[in-house]
Amino acid sequence: MATTEQDPTLREMAAMEIESCQKSQEDALNELVNGLLRSNTPAEITPKGLILELKAGVGGSESGLFVQDMLKMYKAYSETRGWKSEVIATIMANESSGGAGAVKEALVEIKGPNVWSTLKYEKGVHRVQRVPLTETQGRVHTSTIGILVMPLAENNQRKVYDEKDVRVEVMRARGAGGQHVNKTESAVRLTHIPTGIQVSMQDTRSQQQNRTKAYEVLASRLLERQIREEVEERKTSRKSQIGNMDRSDKIRTYNFPQDRITDHRVGVGLNDIQSFFENGEGLDWIIDSLKEREKELLLDGLLQDA
């Protein structure tokens, strides 16, 4: 009787069987890890999109200009993905301090398939190193901005606040220098009393539109807070290391003199900054690297629990 070593047909069949078993094991492992990844967002929350909140940090007017650059990039990137984006609020920097055209704070709403699972990794501090247009000696300046990612809640999802806990104030809209820009009380400020979270909206002349947008942003901020608290509780219970992915310190550096973008969470970088800011080219590759790293950390956590 021929042995496996002697019969080529048997060797081929054995090799195919081994390959099939290995693939089954890989598929089962991937399904387990993907299930854990999905658990990082509570089952009853399936965001239809998100709100990106961009805030200028250190660096003065250069930081505000970087907010504007990132805002344009996210809108262009959303267009390439077939998502819908809308800037729902902006606060311009004070022009008297040399910040003409700089954005102090901006909110952009993005809707579409897989928006949340893709852009949730953008949360954190982004650092830019470049020579400002106003720099006469060619020195490189370092500036930062902060980005918060908040999920958009569907109307039929959990109730994230009770209206009796929200204080509503109306006032006249103000310009960058503090002066009133219209004569009607169209600006709206909401305060969620239990948490102290405040939302101000004055981008339209309609008080009702400002009120609607303010409530939407408030719900997103509260929902993000709830998700974060629940995820942290789950991480603690299974002793996962995935918390390293959520740190709020510097996550990415954009170095213009070196034409290089580096994501410090995974140590990956890419070149061609111009293309990145034109349409987000290369962002998919960075996010894919972050997802793979997240899987590795989850597996490490499982092995530690074993």
Side-chain angles (χ1 to χ4, degrees):
M1 182 176 180
T3 62
T4 302
E5 291 78 7
Q6 296 170 333
D7 190 330
T9 303
L10 289 177
R11 285 203 302 271
E12 184 179 352
M13 292 176 61
M16 292 176 61
E17 184 67 21
I18 292 173
E19 183 180 353
S20 176
C21 290
Q22 290 176 337
K23 187 177 186 306
S24 296
Q25 288 180 338
E26 291 175 359
D27 290 344
L29 184 59
N30 285 332
E31 181 59 31
L32 173 62
V33 174
N34 289 333
L36 287 172
L37 288 175
R38 288 192 295 269
S39 74
N40 278 334
T41 298
E44 66 271 26
I45 298 177
T46 54
K48 62 180 180 180
L50 53 79
I51 293 176
L52 290 178
E53 182 174 5
L54 297 83
K55 288 187 175 182
V58 299
S61 61
E62 177 65 11
S63 175
L65 292 173
F66 187 47
V67 169
Q68 188 180 57
D69 292 339
M70 290 293 286
L71 187 62
K72 291 179 180 178
M73 184 277 290
Y74 285 126
K75 286 181 63 63
Y77 175 74
S78 297
E79 186 174 348
T80 65
R81 295 291 298 260
W83 299 336
K84 294 182 179 180
S85 64
E86 177 189 1
V87 178
I88 58 177
T90 54
I91 300 176
M92 303 302 292
N94 194 332
E95 294 187 10
S96 63
S97 62
V103 179
K104 182 178 179 182
E105 183 177 343
L107 294 171
V108 57
E109 181 181 278
I110 305 176
K111 297 179 181 179
N114 303 316
V115 170
W116 172 256
S117 61
T118 301
L119 292 181
K120 66 179 183 178
Y121 300 98
E122 294 300 285
K123 173 185 175 182
V125 176
H126 296 243
R127 182 176 70 172
V128 61
Q129 296 174 317
R130 62 184 177 186
V131 179
L133 294 176
T134 55
E135 172 58 55
T136 59
Q137 299 182 20
R139 292 174 298 186
V140 175
H141 290 221
T142 298
S143 305
T144 64
I145 68 170
I147 295 180
L148 178 64
V149 183
M150 302 174 291
L152 278 173
E154 295 282 7
N155 292 332
N156 59 356
Q157 290 179 333
R158 72 168 73 175
K159 189 174 183 180
V160 293
Y161 64 85
D162 193 317
E163 289 192 10
K164 67 180 179 59
D165 292 330
V166 180
R167 182 170 66 246
V168 181
E169 301 169 88
V170 295
M171 62 207 77
R172 289 164 60 187
R174 294 179 178 272
Q179 74 277 14
H180 293 296
V181 296
N182 63 47
K183 297 181 179 180
T184 61
E185 293 188 332
S186 61
V188 175
R189 180 169 62 203
L190 305 180
T191 302
H192 185 247
I193 298 173
T195 62
I197 293 175
Q198 285 191 340
V199 177
S200 297
M201 196 68 58
Q202 63 171 32
D203 270 34
T204 74
R205 291 184 176 274
S206 166
Q207 182 187 123
Q208 184 57 44
Q209 290 180 9
N210 284 332
R211 184 188 295 259
T212 299
K213 285 296 182 182
Y215 269 109
E216 186 177 69
V217 173
L218 176 64
S220 291
R221 287 182 177 172
L222 290 171
L223 183 56
E224 187 274 338
R225 178 189 176 107
Q226 288 184 9
I227 290 177
R228 175 162 34 88
E229 290 175 349
E230 292 184 21
V231 169
E232 288 301 323
E233 183 178 348
R234 296 182 187 193
K235 290 173 188 174
T236 301
S237 66
R238 68 172 182 254
K239 301 177 183 179
S240 172
Q241 297 181 31
I242 197 62
N244 292 334
M245 296 289 292
D246 294 334
R247 64 182 189 273
S248 60
D249 57 353
K250 177 186 64 184
I251 65 169
R252 194 176 300 149
T253 295
Y254 308 80
N255 190 307
F256 277 75
Q258 297 180 8
D259 191 29
R260 184 170 180 81
I261 299 173
T262 303
D263 194 290
H264 304 288
R265 294 165 292 182
V266 286
V268 302
L270 57 89
N271 299 104
D272 196 352
I273 283 184
Q274 182 177 352
S275 294
F276 180 88
F277 281 100
E278 283 179 355
N279 54 25
E281 183 175 331
L283 183 57
D284 282 336
W285 182 69
I286 292 176
I287 290 173
D288 287 343
S289 299
L290 288 166
K291 288 181 177 179
E292 288 303 312
R293 180 57 177 157
E294 191 173 21
K295 289 182 181 180
E296 292 174 4
L297 290 170
L298 281 169
L299 286 175
D300 288 345
L302 287 174
L303 290 175
Q304 286 189 2
D305 288 343

